[in-house]
Amino acid sequence: MNKVESRVRSARRRLMLAQFGRSLCWTLFAATLIAIVAIAVPAIRSMDVDFRVWTHAWLIGSIIAAFVAAAIYALGTAPSIESVATEVDRRFGLSERLSSSLSLNERSREIHFGVALAHDAEIRAAKIEVADRFSLKPSKLGWLPLAMIPVLAVVLLLVEPAKNSSAEGVVKTDLAEIKQVQTATSQLKKRIQQQRRKAEAEGLKEAEAMFEKMESDLDRIVTHKNMDRKEAMIALNDLKKELQQRREQLGSPESMRRAMSQMKGLESGPAEKVAKSIEKGEFGKAEEMVKQLAEKIRDGKLTEQEKQQLKKQVEQMKQQMEKAVQQHQEAKKELQQKIEQARKEGRGDDAAKMQQKLNELSQKDGQMQKMQQMAEAMGQASQAMQNGDGSQAADALEQMADQLGEMQQEMSELEDLQSALDELSQSKNQMRCENCGGMGCQSCQGSGFGDRPGNGLGRGTGEGDRPESETDTNTYDTQVRGNVKKGKAIIAGFADGPNRKGITQEDVKQSIEAALSKESDPSENQTLPRTEREHAQQYFDQLREGT
């Protein structure tokens, strides 16, 4: 290696070292900042780590990372030999002798000009000291990482790791309780899956979707690792609210059953069993009967007498349903008027109670709408039979049958919802049971054994509804309270002589009570302003001196 190349490579190393130093200042600053934040994390958040090991690891690791990053950057940005030779020529004023010498190829070095250039460059290179113009000395940038040392020292002195609440004896979630919650929820999920399959088989799409959502919610409870009994109860209560909201949306077919039971003097005929089935709530059975009637009318299998009887029966049922719908609307209107009147008179409590009743009536609007649709279908069927149009009458009855089928589906969904609510209640009992660990036993399932009440039959305490026998629901007993008011004045007789105004005993009594209840005015101490105090003081001084 000749003198020229030796000097150029020496200058290149110094340039790379200078670049490494500048880069190291920045990387050490960033690494120290990251280390400070990492060391402070255990003081903010409880971590299951050894704080001493954690601190040493971050300090050593950040320093090593800073050196590695600075070295990689210095190597990646290292200048080429040609550019360094040009820089040497510039700093030493060599008029590009070294760079030109290095740029000569083998052939150029053999000619007289090349030999002379190379020899001159060697002489010049031998006379220079690279360290004079490529010195390595600290710069102001070196204060950047040094400025972080006091901050790091403060953090190391003041920061203490946060204490783990579990390590300090705070009550942890009982593992047995979590296991019991998961067991009870798993069993509830299996029962809800059965309800979903049943709804799917019956074609209840909305009930199927609701049960499917319940399965996913219960699955989150089962897979949750630290859900205690309280959190699980809250989740089950949320599911219960969703079921109850859906049940309120569906309403109850009780209005139609009550309308059929209140119908008097129904003509005997082909539709007599239909009315009885609706009264009992057997809408599916009523649907099949109405379809059979429609088929008989379409095929002409009814006699004229049966057609007339069916026409009268359909007309009677239509009138009864329209009457029920009208009574419902009138009851809502009357209640709304009473609410407005109560609000005007300032009776807020009464208005709130009546508003609640109005909301309960509004929940029956869906059923009333179906009753109105059925009444319209019956009216169309009656009119068609009167006109002798059997096909149109059959179509109207089939429309009525479809509506009965929808009501039967809603009744089935109501039963499924009630069953799901019962399953939720049973699951809560299993979560609280201390005997079975959530598996379900006689004590928590209320089978009539143990401390839990039985099913309401036999001796002992029971729960649930008792079997009901058929009773007359056309009338009900009620009690009307009398509104007692002041009576009217009655003239008992007449007295002669002029009227004389005097003091009655009632006036004397009121005067005495007023005198007794009247309080005397106490004396009050009042602070006067300074000028008034001085004036009063002078007055009393003169009064005492007699002047």
Side-chain angles (χ1 to χ4, degrees):
M1 181 184 298
N2 54 29
K3 293 290 184 178
V4 175
E5 189 174 354
S6 175
R7 297 296 189 271
V8 172
R9 290 188 181 275
S10 176
R12 184 172 183 268
R13 287 193 296 268
R14 286 178 171 274
L15 289 174
M16 291 176 63
L17 285 174
Q19 180 63 40
F20 173 76
R22 290 190 296 271
S23 303
L24 185 61
C25 292
W26 286 107
T27 55
L28 279 177
F29 173 77
T32 307
L33 183 61
I34 295 173
I36 290 173
V37 174
I39 293 172
V41 167
I44 301 173
R45 180 181 179 183
S46 177
M47 299 177 64
D48 189 15
V49 294
D50 187 347
F51 184 68
R52 185 183 298 275
V53 176
W54 174 270
T55 303
H56 291 169
W58 273 102
L59 287 175
I60 298 173
S62 60
I63 293 174
I64 294 175
F67 274 89
V68 172
I72 293 175
Y73 183 77
L75 291 174
T77 58
S80 61
I81 297 293
E82 292 77 8
S83 61
V84 174
T86 303
E87 184 67 19
V88 173
D89 288 335
R90 186 185 68 80
R91 293 191 183 188
F92 286 95
L94 299 179
S95 302
E96 299 183 359
R97 285 182 173 86
L98 301 186
S99 58
S100 299
S101 176
L102 291 177
S103 63
L104 294 175
N105 53 26
E106 294 296 332
R107 183 177 179 182
S108 298
R109 289 178 181 273
E110 295 177 357
I111 64 176
H112 179 73
F113 174 77
V115 172
L117 180 61
H119 179 70
D120 182 58
E122 286 286 336
I123 295 174
R124 295 283 185 173
K127 293 179 180 181
I128 65 173
E129 291 292 336
V130 176
D132 294 341
R133 303 295 175 89
F134 290 88
S135 60
L136 297 176
K137 58 183 180 180
S139 64
K140 295 181 180 180
L141 195 61
W143 291 103
L144 192 61
L146 295 178
M148 300 302 296
I149 294 178
V151 180
L152 178 62
V154 171
V155 172
L156 292 176
L157 290 175
L158 300 181
V159 170
E160 293 183 359
K163 296 180 179 180
N164 194 345
S165 58
S166 61
E168 293 298 324
V170 179
V171 180
K172 297 171 62 178
T173 305
D174 189 3
L175 296 179
E177 179 180 318
I178 296 175
K179 181 65 176 177
Q180 183 174 0
V181 168
Q182 292 177 345
T183 303
T185 309
S186 298
Q187 293 193 358
L188 176 61
K189 180 182 176 183
K190 293 179 181 178
R191 295 193 292 267
I192 295 299
Q193 285 177 345
Q194 295 177 357
Q195 293 285 344
R196 179 178 59 80
R197 296 190 188 100
K198 179 183 176 184
E200 184 180 2
E202 294 175 353
L204 305 176
K205 299 297 183 181
E206 295 184 0
E208 180 186 354
M210 177 167 289
F211 289 142
E212 187 174 355
K213 181 179 179 300
M214 286 183 65
E215 286 183 33
S216 62
D217 294 339
L218 294 174
D219 190 53
R220 283 195 292 269
I221 299 177
V222 173
T223 55
H224 200 289
K225 295 182 179 179
N226 296 320
M227 180 170 287
D228 57 7
R229 184 183 292 113
K230 181 179 179 180
E231 294 176 349
M233 290 291 183
I234 294 174
L236 293 185
N237 286 336
D238 293 338
L239 295 178
K240 180 180 178 181
K241 290 179 182 178
E242 294 178 2
L243 293 175
Q244 289 176 343
Q245 290 176 358
R246 176 57 184 168
R247 186 174 63 179
E248 292 175 359
Q249 290 177 359
L250 292 176
S252 173
E254 189 64 28
S255 301
M256 186 174 294
R257 294 173 56 183
R258 188 180 296 111
M260 290 295 100
S261 64
Q262 293 176 356
M263 187 166 52
K264 301 291 185 180
L266 179 65
E267 296 285 341
S268 59
E272 185 175 1
K273 293 183 179 180
V274 174
K276 291 294 182 181
S277 298
I278 295 176
E279 181 181 351
K280 294 178 181 179
E282 298 173 351
F283 298 107
K285 187 176 180 180
E287 177 189 8
E288 295 297 328
M289 292 180 181
V290 173
K291 287 183 177 179
Q292 292 175 3
L293 286 175
E295 187 177 353
K296 288 181 179 180
I297 292 176
R298 195 182 301 276
D299 297 340
K301 295 182 179 180
L302 292 179
T303 62
E304 290 298 326
Q305 183 180 359
E306 289 176 338
K307 289 181 180 180
Q308 292 299 322
Q309 291 175 346
L310 178 60
K311 176 181 173 300
K312 292 180 180 180
Q313 288 177 329
V314 170
E315 186 66 27
Q316 284 180 324
M317 288 190 289
K318 168 184 171 294
Q319 293 175 358
Q320 189 64 27
M321 289 186 181
E322 288 179 343
K323 181 180 178 181
V325 174
Q326 184 179 1
Q327 289 176 351
H328 174 75
Q329 297 297 334
E330 290 176 354
K332 286 181 60 179
K333 184 178 180 180
E334 181 180 0
L335 197 55
Q336 183 64 41
Q337 293 175 353
K338 290 182 178 179
I339 292 173
E340 294 176 357
Q341 183 65 27
R343 289 175 177 172
K344 290 180 180 179
E345 296 175 357
R347 294 183 288 112
D349 294 339
D350 295 341
K353 293 179 181 179
M354 289 186 288
Q355 183 64 45
Q356 185 177 1
K357 293 181 180 179
L358 181 61
N359 295 337
E360 293 175 357
L361 286 177
S362 299
Q363 292 176 3
K364 300 179 181 180
D365 289 345
Q367 292 297 323
M368 290 300 165
Q369 184 177 1
K370 287 185 174 61
M371 288 180 64
Q372 183 64 36
Q373 293 173 355
M374 290 184 64
E376 293 174 358
M378 290 178 181
Q380 295 174 3
S382 176
Q383 185 66 33
M385 284 186 287
Q386 183 175 356
N387 297 334
D389 191 347
S391 177
Q392 186 177 357
D395 293 340
L397 289 178
E398 287 178 352
Q399 182 181 355
M400 174 183 172
D402 294 338
Q403 294 166 354
L404 288 171
E406 292 178 2
M407 297 189 70
Q408 179 61 41
Q409 285 188 343
E410 291 182 358
M411 279 197 64
S412 300
E413 186 173 351
L414 282 172
E415 293 175 357
D416 293 341
L417 292 176
Q418 185 60 46
S419 178
L421 288 171
D422 295 338
E423 297 291 351
L424 285 176
S425 299
Q426 180 179 339
S427 181
K428 290 181 180 180
N429 294 334
Q430 291 178 220
M431 291 181 184
R432 290 190 292 260
C433 185
E434 298 179 357
N435 299 328
C436 62
M439 294 296 296
C441 62
Q442 296 176 350
S443 177
C444 62
Q445 291 181 353
S447 57
F449 299 92
D451 298 332
R452 296 283 298 173
N455 56 10
L457 300 177
R459 298 178 61 185
T461 305
E463 67 176 358
D465 298 331
R466 293 190 177 187
E468 295 183 0
S469 58
E470 258 188 67
T471 55
D472 184 15
T473 58
N474 294 331
T475 59
Y476 64 94
D477 297 331
T478 183
Q479 181 179 4
V480 179
R481 297 184 180 274
N483 188 9
V484 181
K485 299 181 179 179
K486 292 183 178 180
K488 297 181 179 179
I490 299 177
I491 300 176
F494 298 92
D496 296 333
N499 294 333
R500 181 180 179 182
K501 181 178 180 181
I503 301 176
T504 63
Q505 293 182 356
E506 187 66 21
D507 294 335
V508 175
K509 180 180 178 182
Q510 291 179 358
S511 300
I512 295 174
E513 290 178 351
L516 291 175
S517 61
K518 184 177 181 181
E519 297 181 355
S520 59
D521 295 333
S523 299
E524 295 180 356
N525 293 326
Q526 184 176 2
T527 303
L528 297 175
R530 181 178 179 180
T531 56
E532 295 181 8
R533 287 202 308 269
E534 293 176 354
H535 182 74
Q537 184 67 34
Q538 292 176 2
Y539 172 80
F540 286 111
D541 291 341
Q542 293 176 1
L543 185 64
R544 283 193 295 268
E545 294 173 358
T547 59

